[in-house]
Amino acid sequence: MKRRDLFRLAALSAVLVSGTMLAGSGDAFAQDKKWKVGFSQATTIEPWRAQFNKDIIAEAAKHPDVELIITDGEDKTEKQVADVENLIRQEVDALLVSPKESAGLTGVVQQAIDAKIPVFVLDRNVETDQYTQFVGGDNVLIGKAAGEYAVELLGGPGKAQGTVVEIWGGMGTQPAHDRHNGFHEFTDKEPGIKYLLDKQSGDWKQDQAYNLMANALKNNEKIDLVYGHNDPMAYGAYLAAKDVGREKEIKFIGIDALPGEGVTWVKNGELTATFLYATPGAEGLRQAIKHLNGEKVEKTIVLPTEKVTAENAEAVLKEKGL
Ligand code: FRU
């Protein structure tokens, strides 16, 4: 058995023992595969991650010469580090990684770079810029758009009044900090805006945001606006307010705009707005293949965003065929 076949066998056992997934068009083990691409995903328990995996698998299906190996970090840094080590051992031709957190993944990403594997960092960054490319949304820009809209909802520039609950994503991730900073570039100019929570993180999760909001509601008679760093957390806050009959007095803003989640919640009048945060699954894989085929790739690819409110939610859903 050739060395490469041995790795394939190892990959097959990985499918059986740890939920590693192989994707591609036709037989993943066919000899016509030219490139072995590894993708280390942070977790699959969040809906946006599930969509991300669907997008990359759909893109892989268009490239018969690519064998795609996807691992699931199960929302644990140690597991994701082990996944990347495993992909390095399998001698992947390119590594795509969407880190659970920046600091914890930096060492192993550096190991891949040192092993001369081209690395494509997707969505959340690492603390080195020696990778081949970063693909993701501009979270400062998205935060700014959310902040500008929050000011408008609270009365407009120079006149905005109200109390704001901000629910942070994971503290160890750049998107959470960027979404915070962008938002505050607008809201901090408004002396009439008061903030109720100090750096409280819901770790991107709906249930944790529900609990934070349930407490905030107990402690504060008036809450005017919730800014969740993603839609599941904005929606968790909405549900907490609904459970005590206060959801109508509050505006809820989130980020992600998945059709079946954020956009639908906006259409139903549950969230006031969400901002598109496209998954880098398809583009990330396309870029990696481009690089493997010897073409030049940019250092950074920024994916566009879009504001979704009651005005365009239906049109956005129709565009997606829903
Ligand atoms: C999923 C997620 C998204 C969010 C992104 C930020 O894990 O929390 O909801 O937009 O990660 O990195």
Side-chain angles (χ1 to χ4, degrees), residues 46 48-49 123-124 175 179 204 230 256 277:
E46 290 167 43
W48 187 85
R49 299 276 153 195
D123 153 49
R124 296 183 189 165
R179 289 173 190 189
W204 307 113
N230 70 358
D256 276 350
Y277 188 59

Side-chain angles (χ1 to χ4, degrees), residues 95-166:
L95 172 71
L96 279 62
V97 57
S98 189
K100 151 102 180 126
E101 44 157 26
S102 312
L105 266 298
T106 300
V108 78
V109 163
Q110 191 60 53
Q111 269 179 49
I113 294 167
D114 294 345
K116 303 272 180 285
I117 298 173
V119 174
F120 294 77
V121 180
L122 309 180
D123 153 49
R124 296 183 189 165
N125 73 341
V126 283
E127 294 173 357
T128 168
D129 59 2
Q130 287 176 38
Y131 48 76
T132 301
Q133 186 181 59
F134 176 85
V135 185
D138 181 339
N139 286 296
V140 176
L141 186 83
I142 294 173
K144 281 187 193 171
E148 188 174 21
Y149 192 52
V151 168
E152 192 184 317
L153 289 170
L154 294 174
K159 295 176 293 204
Q161 292 284 336
T163 47
V164 170
V165 162
E166 176 178 5

Side-chain angles (χ1 to χ4, degrees), residues 229-263:
H229 284 186
N230 70 358
D231 288 339
M233 296 195 298
Y235 190 62
Y238 164 82
L239 292 177
K242 189 162 185 256
D243 283 351
V244 293
R246 288 172 60 183
E247 80 282 10
K248 298 268 184 315
E249 342 162 341
I250 306 170
K251 313 273 189 223
F252 297 88
I253 298 180
I255 295 168
D256 276 350
L258 288 180
E261 297 226 327
V263 182

Side-chain angles (χ1 to χ4, degrees), residues 245-309:
R246 288 172 60 183
E247 80 282 10
K248 298 268 184 315
E249 342 162 341
I250 306 170
K251 313 273 189 223
F252 297 88
I253 298 180
I255 295 168
D256 276 350
L258 288 180
E261 297 226 327
V263 182
T264 300
W265 295 329
V266 170
K267 188 188 135 242
N268 295 345
E270 296 163 317
L271 298 189
T272 316
T274 175
F275 293 81
L276 175 67
Y277 188 59
T279 88
E283 189 60 29
L285 184 60
R286 275 197 294 268
Q287 292 290 325
I289 294 168
K290 206 172 148 187
H291 173 83
L292 288 170
N293 287 332
E295 284 179 57
K296 198 173 153 25
V297 297
E298 305 291 323
K299 186 76 186 180
T300 305
I301 299 259
V302 178
L303 303 175
T305 184
E306 182 186 3
K307 178 163 93 179
V308 181
T309 64

